[in-house]
Amino acid sequence: MRFSRLLSRDKERLPGVVGIARVERRPGDLLRRVSAGDIAILDQPDLDRRTAEALVAAEVVGVVNASPSISGRFPNLGPEVLLSAGITLVDGAGAAIMHRLRDGARIRLHEGGIFVGDREVGRGNEQDADSVADHMIEAKAGMAAQLEAFSANTIEFLRRERMLILDGIGVPDLTVAMEQRHVLVLAPGQGHAEEFKRLRRYVREYRPVLIGVERAADTLRALGYRPEVIVGDPADISTDTLKCGAEVVIPAHIDGHAPGLERIQDLGIGAVTFPAAGNPEDLALLLAESHRASLVVTVGFQATLHEFLDRGRSGSNPSTFLTRLRLGGKVVDGTALTTLQSSRTPVSAVLLLAVAALAATFIALVASGLGSSYFDVLADTGNAVFAYLKGLFT
């Protein structure tokens, strides 16, 4: 007994990252099962940012990818997200690792090796900031080919979904009134909660319809707001949020299958399905546009070319590109709105300036002894200040 305890202590002192293995080939299934302290085992070439952000949110301590996380086709963003969060990434471990590791086993990662106890069962390349940077430089050469493939996929997507994109046919009806109202769509992108906090004044002044996409709906409730519409797979959303009274829209495959519909039925919550090939963020934008929103503010969406091409966000699926074209100038990025708000002159400063101007006028008039003409000049000054204030806020 004493010997086994000493052996256990020696194992605990072994170098590397230790956690419980969660083995799933499909990232979507894996993300539903991982939790804090786990090591995610998956097989996904070109690890996308969305999957990486979900793994960070789940607080995993390590990721083992059977495939190369950066294949060189284009500079995808997932590995950078993991490393920035301090998560160990072992890359290119080979397909056999999916069978060698038992789900729920306690494993250790160290310098590219994958260990069960003190026995090495697999090996890959442990990535760091320098190696990922080198891979990203090489991957930029693949951008041209990726853009060509994207163009071809866009034509094919428009052929299949032209009635939805061009005419809005197939968009489900909602009871939430959006016509001639502002709509804010919150997606679960990196830093989405912080970006939304910076828009609190906008939300307070304009009271937009709040649409939460997947786990961003939980973010809204955590920040003290109730989403009026929720779009996404219910498996990625907490029960309390699903029961908050929002209208739930579940993306469905073209064949009509809607993942997560069983959970909604078990909870006794009403929901509508949205059969389309687009991702949940794009479907939320189409909902707002089809229900005649006057302005659509996006928060937590991709903003750069690299993010746009990232497979998990849009990649080979061109729905994002065509959806943005359909909305045109009606869609505004939340970051830009924050910048515009911060550049506005504070109301308190304007009022102080107005009071100072009136006081200076009064003193000048008294000093010059204008007498009966004082009230006329004071009225003219007041009108000028009012016109200035009106022009500032309209």
Side-chain angles (χ1 to χ4, degrees):
M1 180 72 70
R2 182 180 178 183
F3 175 77
S4 63
R5 284 200 297 268
L6 290 174
L7 182 61
S8 176
R9 290 175 185 173
D10 288 339
K11 288 182 178 180
E12 290 178 359
R13 285 195 293 266
L14 291 173
V17 174
V18 178
I20 302 301
R22 297 300 176 196
V23 185
E24 286 285 356
R25 189 172 297 276
R26 298 176 59 185
D29 295 334
L30 175 67
L31 295 176
R32 297 186 182 98
R33 300 179 53 234
V34 291
S35 57
D38 287 347
I39 296 178
I41 317 296
L42 49 75
D43 186 1
Q44 182 179 342
D46 297 318
L47 184 63
D48 61 90
R49 178 172 180 167
R50 186 176 186 181
T51 300
E53 287 174 346
L55 292 170
V56 171
E59 299 181 359
V60 302
V61 296
V63 174
V64 175
N65 194 351
S67 297
S69 293
I70 304 177
S71 71
R73 294 189 305 126
F74 66 99
N76 55 299
L77 305 171
E80 286 185 337
V81 171
L82 293 179
L83 294 180
S84 296
I87 296 173
T88 299
L89 172 61
V90 176
D91 214 19
I97 197 66
M98 306 298 295
H99 307 289
R100 291 177 186 167
L101 290 177
R102 178 175 57 84
D103 188 79
R106 186 177 178 83
I107 66 173
R108 178 171 60 93
L109 308 180
H110 179 58
E111 295 182 347
I114 305 162
F115 299 87
V116 176
D118 56 359
R119 181 171 60 92
E120 182 176 307
V121 297
R123 177 163 288 276
N125 302 309
E126 183 169 333
Q127 301 287 1
D128 57 26
D130 291 336
S131 64
V132 168
D134 291 339
H135 287 309
M136 292 286 278
I137 291 173
E138 295 174 2
K140 288 181 180 179
M143 289 283 284
Q146 187 72 4
L147 286 170
E148 290 178 6
F150 177 81
S151 300
N153 290 332
T154 299
I155 296 173
E156 175 61 21
F157 179 84
L158 187 57
R159 186 187 65 80
R160 289 186 287 108
E161 297 280 10
R162 61 184 181 277
M163 297 181 70
L164 171 65
I165 297 296
L166 299 179
D167 303 316
I169 296 176
V171 177
D173 293 329
L174 299 175
T175 60
V176 174
M178 299 186 196
E179 186 169 359
Q180 296 306 309
R181 292 183 62 187
H182 289 203
V183 173
L184 188 150
V185 181
L186 182 64
Q190 188 175 33
H192 69 285
E194 290 72 19
E195 187 178 347
F196 181 84
K197 290 176 184 177
R198 291 192 288 269
L199 288 169
R200 284 183 185 273
R201 188 174 74 181
Y202 162 76
V203 174
R204 183 172 62 252
E205 291 181 0
Y206 291 91
R207 299 186 180 278
V209 176
L210 298 178
I211 299 181
V213 178
E214 295 181 334
R215 59 186 176 87
D218 291 325
T219 301
L220 284 173
R221 293 192 69 250
L223 295 176
Y225 298 86
R226 183 181 73 85
E228 296 181 66
V229 181
I230 296 173
V231 181
D233 187 344
D236 299 325
I237 306 164
S238 70
T239 299
D240 290 340
T241 297
L242 290 171
K243 289 184 174 181
C244 74
E247 292 194 66
V248 180
V249 179
I250 305 176
H253 301 311
I254 301 300
D255 60 8
H257 175 64
L261 185 60
E262 295 80 4
R263 185 183 181 208
I264 286 292
Q265 294 172 340
D266 292 340
L267 293 174
I269 301 172
V272 296
T273 58
F274 193 162
N279 59 44
E281 293 95 325
D282 300 335
L283 301 189
L285 294 180
L286 287 173
L287 281 170
E289 199 280 334
S290 296
H291 288 83
R292 302 179 185 278
S294 60
L295 184 75
V296 182
V297 178
T298 61
V299 180
F301 283 61
Q302 64 271 28
T304 67
L305 178 61
H306 290 173
E307 291 174 314
F308 184 73
L309 289 174
D310 201 33
R311 186 173 66 88
R313 305 289 294 184
S314 56
S316 60
N317 188 342
S319 65
T320 298
F321 174 68
L322 293 173
T323 299
R324 293 301 183 98
L325 283 180
R326 178 169 174 81
L327 269 73
K330 188 182 293 187
V331 62
V332 177
D333 183 71
T335 303
L337 190 61
T338 302
T339 303
L340 290 174
Q341 280 195 322
S342 63
S343 66
R344 289 173 58 183
T345 305
V347 174
S348 58
V350 174
L351 293 178
L352 183 61
L353 177 63
V355 172
L358 290 173
T361 303
F362 174 76
I363 294 172
L365 288 172
V366 172
S368 62
L370 289 179
S372 60
S373 63
Y374 160 69
F375 292 103
D376 293 334
V377 176
L378 185 61
D380 291 340
T381 304
N383 290 333
V385 172
F386 176 77
Y388 170 76
L389 293 174
K390 183 178 179 182
L392 187 63
F393 292 101
T394 57

